Amino acid sequence: METDKKKPIIYPYLPDGRKILYVSENNQYIQAAKKFAKEHSLDKIVPTGAVAVKDNKIIGYGANGSDYHKTHECERVKNHIPTGQGYELCEGCHPKNHAESRAVQNAIDNGFNPKGSDLYLWGHHWCCEPCWKAMINQDIKNVYLMEGSDILFDRTKGGNIIGHQFE
């Protein structure tokens, strides 16, 4: 008898010793990250939101994007740079404009120590190396994505919702 085994998710980047955890779409923190993405993301194609949570309280919010792409072409697209690489080459794609790093920085700016907090990310299916470094440097404990993110937010997979995330 064959058992139904789910294939492991292959992330473009995952640091040694770290893993991504998953929560349901109804999780209050994933919902808060989704709401923040909808209201604050400047990236209208792949809006992403994150919240940093400590002691069951949201201590930081972040959304991705910048106005750079409105007036300039994306340097990564022009140079055919694959996803997950060369973010520092384009002001609009720079990691300082990613939801994860913004949520961690927002917590610090609001006077909170993010050490030991968890980060909930809505709108993406993995975290890039610079964002992981920012989270590890601040001792973020766990990273949570919404169940199904590996399909819903991966534009290379059928069944993704890129372009109509809030419908």
Side-chain angles (χ1 to χ4, degrees):
M1 179 179 202
E2 213 173 297
T3 59
D4 181 33
K5 291 185 179 181
K6 189 175 178 183
K7 288 173 145 179
I9 298 170
I10 307 298
Y11 303 101
Y13 179 78
L14 186 65
D16 289 340
R18 297 304 291 247
K19 62 182 178 179
I20 292 177
L21 304 171
Y22 290 87
V23 294
S24 78
E25 180 179 8
N26 297 326
N27 177 279
Q28 66 179 331
Y29 302 123
I30 283 292
Q31 285 299 308
K34 178 181 180 179
K35 182 177 191 249
F36 199 78
K38 184 176 184 180
E39 294 173 357
H40 298 281
S41 176
L42 297 175
D43 185 331
K44 299 308 174 200
I45 298 170
V46 186
T48 304
V51 295
V53 176
K54 189 172 185 178
D55 299 326
N56 296 316
K57 178 183 176 191
I58 296 174
I59 62 170
Y61 291 87
N64 66 327
S66 101
D67 287 331
Y68 183 85
H69 290 138
K70 287 182 182 178
T71 55
H72 300 83
E73 288 183 63
C74 177
E75 302 303 322
R76 294 174 59 245
V77 170
K78 284 194 306 190
N79 291 297
H80 309 288
I81 297 172
T83 187
Q85 299 175 22
Y87 290 125
E88 68 285 351
L89 301 174
C90 179
E91 179 62 27
C93 299
H94 196 282
K96 69 181 179 186
N97 295 322
H98 292 189
E100 304 98 314
S101 58
R102 283 186 170 165
V104 172
Q105 188 59 51
N106 181 252
I108 294 166
D109 292 347
N110 289 330
F112 294 101
N113 179 351
K115 181 178 181 174
S117 64
D118 294 321
L119 187 119
Y120 291 77
L121 177 66
W122 183 91
H124 216 327
H125 64 285
W126 65 289
C127 301
C128 68
E129 183 175 1
C131 285
W132 270 112
K133 284 182 178 180
M135 292 185 288
I136 290 168
N137 286 342
Q138 293 298 326
D139 292 322
I140 301 300
K141 187 170 58 172
N142 294 305
V143 173
Y144 292 91
L145 301 180
M146 185 176 77
E147 291 172 340
S149 291
D150 58 308
I151 294 170
L152 296 172
F153 303 116
D154 184 345
R155 60 176 95 206
T156 68
K157 295 194 176 156
N160 75 65
I161 60 171
I162 302 297
H164 52 274
Q165 292 89 318
F166 302 111
E167 294 175 6

